[in-house]
């Protein structure tokens, strides 16, 4: 898909470079597109290494599961943290290369290049949940055990493809946020005063610190939301076991609707506070501390947000696949003490990779857009 995009976008360079007068700029814009494409491919390969069942990081988590849940979680956290260094260096290199090729427009258009393969990216991202649900259906309909084994293998591959999709998302979010930051500089009329956003400016530095904190607070709110919803779900299941005799024996039907209602209500209600945080934080910082602090906040949120998103997505995928690797017969197999520890790690990793990590991408871009909209009012 990336090779097709390279060929298909080449004739479009003159339109994508509209406003540039020389032929070099047209090729420069095309070079920026190729830079984004290459970044997406490399981030995908790095993500695959850290999350697939055939590589050392997942094997190390499975090995640590032999000594309990604590060592499983420690190893999984370490794998997730370690997985951030290479993507961040690549994003930095791609940013510099794109800027040299076509200025700040090159940075923005490299994000477009990265997203030109969005069709296949969404396809591999959606594959994971489809395979996971297929396994659940196989178990609920009492299919032959071989069917569940096959869906587990597909699910393991799906965990890796989902992590790759999230890598694409956060990489493009970083490049997009950099371009939006430049738009904010223009909207806030800071282009003629570079010192306004220098770290030597106490307002800017204060904004960087506040912005660096926001992805952590946002991730905490979403993690707590998952915890509260899960707690309500567990309590409801326990209530049904107590009040409806015969569920375990298959003689009575559980009240499935109650659990679905808890999940749906929690998904809507619990996202109010994180959503309010993303919208109001730029406004409050901008009006309270000024445009310099708001610019610093966007920069701080971008740095820590990208790190947190990559860390959470890869740690969650690695934990999940470590469990799948053990279920395949390694380190004692399904039902062993290693497997029980891996289940704990997977339970921790699910909100990492499915809730908090992907949501941080939205936080970064939404705060940038709100800041751009609010900027004229701050300088008016």
């Amino acid at each position: 898909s990336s090779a097709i995009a390279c060929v298909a976008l080449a004739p479009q360079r003159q339109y994508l470079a509209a406003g540039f007068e020389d032929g070099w700029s047209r090729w420069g814009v095309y070079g920026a597109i190729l830079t984004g494409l290459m970044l997406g491919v490399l981030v995908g390969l790095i993500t695959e290494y850290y999350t697939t069942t055939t590589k050392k990081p997942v094997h190390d988590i499975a090995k640590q599961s032999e000594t309990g849940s604590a060592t499983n979680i420690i190893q999984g956290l370490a794998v997730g943290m370690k997985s951030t260094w290479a993507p961040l260096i690549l994003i930095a290199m791609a940013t510099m290369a794109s800027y040299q090729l076509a200025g700040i427009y090159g940075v923005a258009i490299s994000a477009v290049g990265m997203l030109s393969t969005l069709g296949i990216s969404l396809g591999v991202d959606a594959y994971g949940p489809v395979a996971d649900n297929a396994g659940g259906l196989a178990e609920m309909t009492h299919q032959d055990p071989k069917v569940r084994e096959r869906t587990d293998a597909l699910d393991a591959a799906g965990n890796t493809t989902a992590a790759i999709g999230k890598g694409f998302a956060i990489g493009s979010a970083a490049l997009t946020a950099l371009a939006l930051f430049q738009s904010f500089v223009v909207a806030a009329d800071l282009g003629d005063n570079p010192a306004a956003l220098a770290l030597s400016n106490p307002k800017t530095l204060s904004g960087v610190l506040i912005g660096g904190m926001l992805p952590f607070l946002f991730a905490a709110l979403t993690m707590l939301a998952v915890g509260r919803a899960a707690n309500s779900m567990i309590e409801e299941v326990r209530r049904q076991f107590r009040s409806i005799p015969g569920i375990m024996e298959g003689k009575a039907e559980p009240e499935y609707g109650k659990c679905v209602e808890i999940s749906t209500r929690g998904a809507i209600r619990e996202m109010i506070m994180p959503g309010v945080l993303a919208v109001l934080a730029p406004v409050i910082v901008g009006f309270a501390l000024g445009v310099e602090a708001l610019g610093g906040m966007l920069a701080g949120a971008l740095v820590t947000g990208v790190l947190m998103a990559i860390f959470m997505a890869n740690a969650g995928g690695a934990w999940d696949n470590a469990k799948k690797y053990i279920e395949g017969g390694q380190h004692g197999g399904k039902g062993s003490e290693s497997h029980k520890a891996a289940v704990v790690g997977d339970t921790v990793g699910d909100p990492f990779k499915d809730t908090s990590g992907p949501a941080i991408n939205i936080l970064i871009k939404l705060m940038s857009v709100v800041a751009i909209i609010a900027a004229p009012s701050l300088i008016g």
Side-chain angles (χ1 to χ4, degrees):
S1 62
S2 296
I4 292 171
C6 289
V7 176
L9 288 169
Q12 310 302 319
R13 64 185 183 277
Q14 61 186 24
Y15 305 108
L16 294 170
F20 292 98
E21 296 180 355
D22 56 283
W24 179 87
S25 293
R26 293 175 184 174
W27 284 108
V29 169
Y30 181 60
I33 293 173
L34 297 185
T35 300
L37 272 169
M38 183 61 68
L39 174 63
V41 172
L42 292 176
V43 168
L45 292 173
I46 292 167
T47 302
E48 181 182 10
Y49 172 76
Y50 280 102
T51 59
T52 185
T53 55
T54 61
K55 300 297 182 182
K56 189 175 184 294
V58 168
H59 293 179
D60 288 344
I61 297 175
K63 175 66 176 177
Q64 290 295 334
S65 300
E66 293 181 353
T67 50
S69 303
T71 48
N72 170 281
I73 291 174
I74 290 171
Q75 186 69 28
L77 290 172
V79 166
M81 292 178 183
K82 189 177 179 181
S83 70
T84 61
W85 73 270
L88 262 292
I89 290 176
L90 288 173
I91 290 172
M93 293 173 63
T95 301
M96 292 296 296
S98 300
Y99 186 83
Q100 291 297 321
L101 288 166
I104 195 66
Y105 179 67
V107 177
I109 208 69
S110 67
V112 175
M114 191 173 182
L115 292 174
S116 62
T117 57
L118 186 61
I120 192 66
S121 299
L122 291 176
V124 299
D125 196 20
Y127 172 78
V130 172
D132 196 357
N133 285 343
L137 290 171
E139 189 166 321
M140 286 188 290
T141 54
H142 306 290
Q143 297 293 315
D144 189 281
K146 289 184 178 180
V147 176
R148 181 64 186 184
E149 291 175 10
R150 291 165 181 164
T151 56
D152 282 346
L154 297 176
D155 188 21
N159 289 331
T160 300
T161 59
I164 292 172
K166 292 176 178 66
F168 268 89
I170 189 57
S172 62
L175 295 174
T176 303
L178 287 168
L180 290 174
F181 182 80
Q182 182 65 23
S183 298
F184 165 78
V185 170
V186 174
D189 199 21
L190 297 174
D192 296 329
N193 185 18
L197 294 177
L199 290 179
S200 57
N201 185 332
K203 287 188 175 181
T204 303
L205 182 58
S206 299
V208 170
L209 295 174
I210 294 171
M213 167 273 296
L214 286 174
F216 287 86
L217 177 59
F218 185 83
L221 291 174
T222 52
M223 291 283 286
L224 289 171
V226 172
R228 283 191 293 268
N231 184 71
S232 300
M233 187 80 72
I234 292 169
E235 291 298 327
E236 172 60 24
V237 171
R238 288 174 175 173
R239 182 198 67 79
Q240 291 190 29
F241 280 141
R242 290 193 302 267
S243 60
I244 307 176
I247 290 181
M248 293 298 292
E249 294 79 14
K251 298 178 181 178
E253 190 78 5
E255 297 177 2
Y256 298 113
K258 294 285 187 180
C259 295
V260 174
E261 181 184 352
I262 290 171
S263 178
T264 306
R265 186 174 63 245
I268 297 172
R269 182 184 298 171
E270 296 288 357
M271 288 300 104
I272 294 175
M273 277 303 296
V276 169
L277 174 67
V279 174
L280 290 186
V283 177
I284 294 172
V285 170
F287 281 100
L289 300 177
V291 290
E292 299 95 337
L294 181 52
M297 188 200 78
L298 295 179
L302 173 61
V303 173
T304 60
V306 170
L307 285 166
M308 282 284 287
I310 294 174
F311 155 61
M312 288 185 147
N314 290 347
W319 266 318
D320 199 342
N321 273 350
K323 184 191 73 171
K324 292 288 190 301
Y325 182 65
I326 293 173
E327 288 175 347
Q330 305 297 323
H331 303 286
K334 186 178 290 189
S336 65
E337 291 302 315
S338 299
H339 182 243
K340 292 176 183 177
V343 169
V344 173
D346 180 35
T347 304
V348 175
D350 276 342
F352 267 51
K353 65 183 176 66
D354 295 330
T355 305
S356 299
I360 290 175
N361 303 337
I362 308 301
L363 173 73
I364 295 170
K365 289 184 281 192
L366 181 58
M367 288 200 305
S368 299
V369 172
V370 172
I372 293 170
I373 295 172
S377 300
L378 299 176
I379 62 175

